[in-house]
Structure formats: C-alpha cells, structure tokens
Amino acid sequence: MRTKFEELEKVFRRLAESNLEQSKNDLYDTVQESYYKDDIPEDAMEELKNIEPDFQKGMFEGMGFAYEQVANYISIMLDTSDKLSEKHINHVLQHIHKNSLIKEEIEESAVTYQEGLTNGIKAGFNMADLEIKGKFQIPN
C-alpha cells in the first residue's frame, strides 16, 4: 500500500510540473507539433486556435495547482502514518472533495485567466479523484 501511495505522489508531482510547463505554451502549437495532430478533427483544431491565451494559461496552472495539492495530501499521509490502509485513501479523497473550487460551475463561454484557473483546478481534482480510485480499484 505504501508503494502505491509513493508512486501516486510521484505521478501527481510530475503532472503538476508538466501542466505548469504547458501553461507557458500555446495549446494549438503544442498539438500541431504532436504525433496525434492527424487524429484530431479539423473543427476541433479550429476551436483550439480560438482559445484565449489567458484562459489556457489559467487552465493549465489550475490543473498544476490541483495536482500539487493532491501530491501534498498524499505526502502528509506518507509522513504521518506507519501503516497505510483504505482509510487513508478515503481521507485523501475527502480532502479533494472538500475543496470549494471542485463545486464551481464551468461556463462554456469562459475566456479569462481566472475562469481558466477555476476550470483547471476543478478538472485537476476530478481527474486526480479518478486516478486514485483507479489505482486502488475503488468504484465511483
């Protein structure tokens, strides 16, 4: 169980770093340079082109923030518990769900940095929740 927690902490730290790095680059340009660009429909590429740079920056920074928070929750469990159990997994999940930003409504027309940040935090926490549940085989 400890090994799984340690692996998850590393995964979330890498995801946090990766998202903060992505926040410095335009998403459209990143996709254009990827191997998968031919798999993305033309209309989706057009939508990527129209995403406001401030929104993108906020979104990726928000996801990075959420992943860093989850890594910190896991780190606390590792530092304060000799024997980890399902109770500790549930404790981490409770911390994720207590965050008030996870309950924010996502607007379709979001364009500002703050809206991107909020959407990114919410997405990051939701994806972390799914990742943890998948790793420990906890039903949704």
Side-chain angles (χ1 to χ4, degrees), residues 1 5 8 73-74 77 84-98 129 132-133 136-140:
M1 181 74 74
F5 266 90
L8 268 179
Y73 300 154
I74 293 169
M77 291 296 122
L84 296 167
S85 67
E86 192 172 314
K87 175 182 86 169
H88 295 93
I89 299 164
N90 290 327
H91 193 67
V92 170
L93 292 172
Q94 286 172 355
H95 277 295
I96 290 170
H97 292 279
K98 282 182 184 178
D129 177 77
I132 291 168
K133 287 177 178 175
F136 292 101
Q137 300 174 350
I138 298 171
N140 284 332

